[in-house]
Amino acid sequence: VHGAKCLAVLAGSSMPGAASGVAVGAVVAPKRHLQTVIKALDERQWRKKRTKVHEYDCEHLAVAVAPEGARALDAFGSDAESLVPAPLAALLRDGAVRWATGHRHVSAAAAPSPAAAAAAAASPAPPPRFRYAELFAGVGGFRLALDGLGGRCVFASEIDPCAAATYERNFGDAPLGDITEVPDEALPAHDLLTAGFPCQSFSRSGEQRGLGDARGDLFFEIVRVASRCRPAALLLENVPNLLRVDNGHALHIIVHALARAGYHCRLQLANAAALVPQHRERLYLAAFRDAAAAAAFRWPSLPAARGAAHRALGSGTVGVGYHGTPPGTLPPQYRTLGELLEPLADEERSRYELSETQWRQVRSSLEWRTNPQWRLPPLGGGPRPP
């Protein structure tokens, strides 16, 4: 109730300050009031629990506040004052604690792992064709492609600890965590900014609250970084339903915010079904500071589906075995599942194989009959079994 009321009272507050990102800040308090502050913030679920309480100065500690609470505290003393928990409001009015709007705290800069640093020192990389930064980096899908094009990642941010750990294992660099806690001065110069920004508030499977949701609001962190670092181009990705959320108003705000930051936008729906073994339609947004570059930009042409090669695999007219496809038989986008998996020795693979009895039990199960998407495709290619 308080969250909905806060959003209603403060509706429209994100757009005027889009270049400064989402509302952020910290309650600054002496140690004797710290527990009162934490309890009051937790009552509204306003405390950023992934950001540790940290030293603000020699006499005060800072407690980081989530965007919803930051918006209410920014408006403290106006119509939103009743949204602030009474104990915290009393401390603020008395001057015992204070609200530090805009305060961001990051504990350490992203750094390569010792092994990656040693490898880089042993064989210095050639100068990159371009430098890029990625927000909401996940496990590094954008990086995998951009490194292959000669780019060099100079900054990455990912808040999910499991995704960040996978990212570090994939690339040797540990991404920073919460982008809302990274101050402007910690953002390096770059030529391209990428972001697969949180999709939960835009997805058809969610409540579709769009930019009014705390996760959807994180889009404005992209605007902040772009406004601060002024990269030549942006490449953003989200779910197709972003086109329809709030009758298209959310997308209008996004494009308008980027235009105000100096970017010319191009949008395209793309389905990667021809490249990966799943239906994966996504909305991509490319934005350029140079109007001529935006006008000259052309989206790549992707096949609508796996097409003739997929049908050939399914019919058995193309011989493909487990890691047995002759080189050059199929283009890279038609590699089979067996080719994508790491090879296993026969004795190791046998530990994972089902017996004929086990396989019959799987196929007779309710899950198999009612959820075709759960069926694993054959290692040698072709459609999922009926």
Side-chain angles (χ1 to χ4, degrees), residues 30 89-98:
L91 291 173
L92 287 167
R93 280 192 293 267
D94 292 343
V97 304
R98 66 185 180 89

Side-chain angles (χ1 to χ4, degrees), residues 21 210 241 319 330 346 360 377:
N241 200 53
L330 292 173
D346 289 342
R360 282 195 299 271

